[in-house]
Amino acid sequence: AQKITQTQPGMFVQEKEAVTLDCTYDTSDQSYGLFWYKQPSSGEMIFLIYQGSYDEQNATEGRYSLNFQKARKSANLVISASQLGDSAMYFCAMRGRRTGGGADGLTFGKGTHLIIQP
Amino acid sequence: GAGVSQTPSNKVTEKGKYVELRCDPISGHTALYWYRQSLGQGPEFLIYFQGTGAADDSGLPNDRFFAVRPEGSVSTLKIQRTERGDSAVYLCASSLGRGDTEAFFGQGTRLTVV
C-alpha cells in the first residue's frame, strides 16, 4: 500500500531560520514521484517542488529544496531563510500506483502546520 | 480566468439532498482531478479524468458519488443522498497532461451537510 507519513503536526520557527519538514513514504513501485504543496489559510494548494524516483540530484526551486534519501524512503522539504509568508500547512504527496487503484492522482500525508515567528 | 475555478465556494445542504460541485480547469489542460479534504487531513484522491473520460475513479467512496466531464473541460462532481460524513472541502486540480509534474488546484468548495 502506498503511504505518506508526516510526523510533525506543527512547527514554530524563527524568521530567517532554515526549516526542515519531514516526510517518509512507503511504496512497492520502482517508479514514483514525490511532491510538496503549501496550503495557506485561503485553502488553495500551491505546488512547491517535485522529485522523481530516478532523479539522481535533489530538486531545488528557489528557497525550497528536497532532501531525497531513496534508501531511507524519505523526502524532506528544506526551506532556507524562512519568511513570515511561509506560515501555512505543508503537505508531502506521492504519485504512484495506489492499492486497488491506478497510478494517477496523488496520495497525501496529513500535513505539517508551520508557523514562522518574527 | 487564469486559474482553476470552483463553484460554489461554500455549499450548505440538508442531509439526503443532492448537490453538484463545479470545476472549471485551466484552458488547455486535459487532465482533471477531484480530491476531498476532511478537517485536519490531507486531500484524498477521488477521480481522474483524461479528456472526457474518467480514467481512474477508484477513489470514489461509494455509488452516491459521480463525476462527469462531457466536453473535456468543465467537470461536475455529483453527490446523491448526502450524508453528514460527506462534509469536507472538495478540491479540483488540472494539469496539461497525464503524468505532468505540476497540477494546479482550485480554492475548493466547502460542503457542509446539516
Side-chain angles (χ1 to χ4, degrees):
Chain A
Q2 205 172 95
K3 187 177 179 182
I4 294 283
T5 302
Q6 294 181 253
T7 57
Q8 305 152 310
M11 286 186 72
F12 288 87
V13 173
Q14 287 297 121
E15 189 180 8
K16 299 181 185 175
E17 289 185 351
V19 182
T20 297
L21 303 181
D22 295 341
C23 172
T24 58
Y25 60 92
D26 191 16
T27 181
S28 55
D29 283 351
Q30 296 300 311
S31 177
Y32 51 89
L34 296 158
F35 300 74
W36 277 92
Y37 279 85
K38 173 183 178 181
Q39 187 177 43
S41 56
S42 60
E44 185 175 352
M45 300 287 283
I46 301 168
F47 168 78
L48 296 178
I49 197 166
Y50 167 81
Q51 178 89 39
S53 58
Y54 292 118
D55 294 341
E56 294 187 351
Q57 291 199 329
N58 286 343
T60 60
E61 289 285 349
R63 293 188 300 115
Y64 304 108
S65 60
L66 198 152
N67 184 0
F68 181 44
Q69 297 188 38
K70 194 170 183 177
R72 296 181 58 189
K73 292 190 175 179
S74 84
N76 297 342
L77 177 70
V78 180
I79 307 174
S80 63
S82 59
Q83 302 170 356
L84 296 177
D86 294 333
S87 295
M89 286 292 295
Y90 287 81
F91 290 96
C92 180
M94 172 167 40
R95 182 171 63 214
R97 189 159 297 279
R98 294 182 309 280
T99 302
D104 301 291
L106 301 178
T107 299
F108 285 83
K110 290 189 174 183
T112 295
H113 189 191
L114 175 65
I115 297 174
I116 307 298
Q117 297 175 310
Chain B
V4 177
S5 175
Q6 291 189 246
T7 54
S9 54
N10 280 284
K11 176 71 178 178
V12 180
T13 191
E14 292 180 347
K15 179 175 176 294
K17 298 289 190 184
Y18 167 83
V19 295
E20 289 189 351
L21 312 180
R22 177 188 167 106
C23 172
D24 201 338
I26 293 173
S27 178
H29 281 195
T30 62
L32 186 145
Y33 308 81
W34 282 100
Y35 293 86
R36 177 170 70 175
Q37 187 174 19
S38 300
L39 194 62
Q41 304 293 317
E44 175 190 19
F45 171 80
L46 295 177
I47 188 168
Y48 158 66
F49 286 90
Q50 181 57 43
T52 60
D56 183 352
D57 64 357
S58 61
L60 294 177
N62 51 59
D63 61 6
R64 295 186 298 105
F65 288 75
F66 189 70
V68 295
R69 194 185 185 199
E71 297 178 358
S73 55
V74 172
S75 176
T76 304
L77 178 66
K78 308 180 181 197
I79 310 174
Q80 298 178 320
R81 304 183 304 280
T82 51
E83 300 177 357
R84 292 198 177 88
D86 299 335
S87 296
V89 175
Y90 289 81
L91 294 166
C92 176
S94 72
S95 64
L96 266 175
R98 190 173 209 167
D100 203 48
T101 57
E102 185 170 358
F104 297 84
F105 281 77
Q107 292 194 312
T109 294
R110 181 176 299 278
L111 175 66
T112 305
V113 182
V114 298

